[in-house]
Amino acid sequence: MSMTTESESPPSDSNRPSPGPGPTEPLSIRTADGFALKGFAWRHACAPGACPPVVIINAATSVRCQYYFRYADYLFANGFDVIVYDYRGIGESRPPSLRGFHASWSDWGALDFEAVLLHAAHAFPEQAIDVVGHSFGGCAIGLAASSHHIRRIVTVGAQFAYWRDYAQAQRWRMLAKWHLFMPLLTRGYGYFPGKRLKWLEDTPLGVVRDWSTSTPRLEDRPSGKKTWSAARRLPFDTVTAPILAISTTDDPFATIPATERLLRYFKASAKTHLRIRPQDIGVAAIGHFAFFHSRFQETLWPISLAWLQTGKLPAQASGTLIHAP
């Protein structure tokens, strides 16, 4: 399929485990509705009361948690415990068949991330909880009722796919790809066969509906109407952790309007939006996915590490501040 570019989809080998030390233990976490999520943890041996903070990594839509192993290794090497996991229907948390399997964006946030957050609070007692959210993973933070437990947040390319926010030069092609072709193919298969197209992981029907029903308000997506229509509000107001939102100028999803649209939902958080040009760090491209590639360990990763460690940007952080407290 010629419609795929690395700026929009991870390369074909991106979901392989890293050659680094890797996780210390597998995880199985039961959600409130009884689903068993699978994931992995990097955990230091430590005495009670002397354990480091734990970072939960929320994946992008339909990207396996293994994609983030190298970055998790880096955080672990710099003193953090780490949890990565797959949302229901994806990767390690995929059932035998996706036909007829029910999952949505609201399930991924309100049930799956919520369960992982509660697991971290219980299994990593007295440890601060931080979150790194990639793409939809940043949005999922605001859908969990227990997000008040979070100390600090880093988002990377986070937005919720409103088509008018896409980069102007790619907008119409992306609209055709993600909002016309993807739902049409999903209707025929009963799920989106992303793996055979080498775009993303195979994706449940309900998630595709949420993604492809592009509205400027998250609560107007199909699962949002079902889940929050009675309450007339999303759980975002429970989030009080300071947020560093990282976006790049060559990411066609996370433009300034798209990133700021999501940040406006986090009304109780201090927000810092750092926008980075590839040339700021001497490279030709970063796109929507490459932040988590190990070639950026010396340039991009220290920005997120400093925020997780101190709640501040490093003094020499590359990029331009779009939004600051």
Side-chain angles (χ1 to χ4, degrees):
M1 266 305 163
S2 60
M3 297 174 75
T4 299
T5 66
E6 184 172 338
S7 65
E8 294 175 38
S9 301
S12 59
D13 66 345
S14 62
N15 287 336
R16 295 177 183 173
S18 78
T24 59
E25 60 188 75
L27 295 178
S28 181
I29 300 171
R30 189 72 60 175
T31 65
D33 64 341
F35 191 85
L37 299 174
K38 303 296 182 182
F40 303 92
W42 285 247
R43 192 165 193 171
H44 291 88
C46 56
C51 293
V54 56
V55 179
I56 301 170
I57 299 178
N58 281 353
T61 296
S62 305
V63 176
R64 295 187 69 163
C65 68
Q66 291 179 352
Y67 185 78
Y68 306 94
F69 272 21
R70 292 178 176 87
Y71 182 71
D73 284 339
Y74 170 80
L75 294 179
F76 184 68
N78 281 279
F80 288 90
D81 288 348
V82 187
I83 294 173
V84 304
Y85 69 102
D86 282 317
Y87 306 119
R88 65 184 66 200
I90 303 297
E92 303 292 323
S93 301
R94 176 180 174 151
S97 174
L98 286 180
R99 288 187 178 88
F101 180 75
H102 297 285
S104 66
W105 269 355
S106 65
D107 293 333
W108 284 2
L111 293 172
D112 296 354
F113 173 59
E114 171 73 4
V116 175
L117 191 53
L118 292 177
H119 170 82
H122 175 75
F124 296 74
E126 300 181 6
Q127 294 175 239
I129 300 173
D130 300 329
V131 181
V132 174
H134 181 205
S135 194
F136 169 77
C139 185
I141 296 167
L143 303 181
S146 299
S147 286
H148 58 277
H149 287 297
I150 302 170
R151 181 186 65 158
R152 293 176 187 137
I153 295 169
V154 174
T155 67
V156 178
Q159 36 63 52
F160 53 88
Y162 175 47
W163 73 273
R164 290 185 182 275
D165 289 340
Y166 292 157
Q168 187 171 1
Q170 293 113 304
R171 184 175 300 157
W172 296 107
R173 183 182 56 78
M174 291 173 67
L175 177 65
K177 175 180 176 179
W178 299 113
H179 301 276
L180 296 176
F181 182 78
M182 181 172 66
L184 283 173
L185 194 61
T186 300
R187 189 176 301 173
Y189 277 85
Y191 66 95
F192 178 60
K195 289 187 73 172
R196 69 184 62 190
L197 295 174
K198 297 184 179 179
W199 289 7
L200 298 165
E201 289 294 301
D202 295 343
T203 306
L205 172 63
V207 172
V208 173
R209 283 177 178 160
D210 280 332
W211 183 344
S212 60
T213 305
S214 189
T215 63
R217 299 198 322 155
L218 181 63
E219 56 267 44
D220 292 334
R221 302 295 167 96
S223 68
K225 286 183 177 180
K226 179 180 178 181
T227 307
W228 296 291
S229 59
R232 296 185 180 181
R233 64 191 292 266
L234 296 165
F236 281 82
D237 289 350
T238 66
V239 184
T240 58
I243 299 170
L244 170 62
I246 298 172
S247 68
T248 63
T249 57
D250 65 333
D251 181 345
F253 289 104
T255 60
I256 293 175
T259 305
E260 291 290 316
R261 187 180 300 278
L262 176 59
L263 285 177
R264 284 194 291 272
Y265 278 91
F266 292 96
K267 296 178 182 179
S269 293
K271 296 172 282 285
T272 300
H273 178 185
L274 180 68
R275 191 152 179 86
I276 300 172
R277 302 178 306 163
Q279 54 265 45
D280 290 339
I281 58 170
V283 298
I286 304 170
H288 190 58
F289 288 92
F291 178 95
F292 296 97
H293 293 191
S294 55
R295 65 179 180 270
F296 294 121
Q297 179 171 333
E298 303 299 326
T299 51
L300 296 179
W301 292 4
I303 298 172
S304 62
L305 178 66
W307 186 270
L308 294 171
Q309 290 173 329
T310 67
K312 299 178 181 179
L313 286 171
Q316 303 302 318
S318 301
T320 302
L321 281 176
I322 303 299
H323 189 145

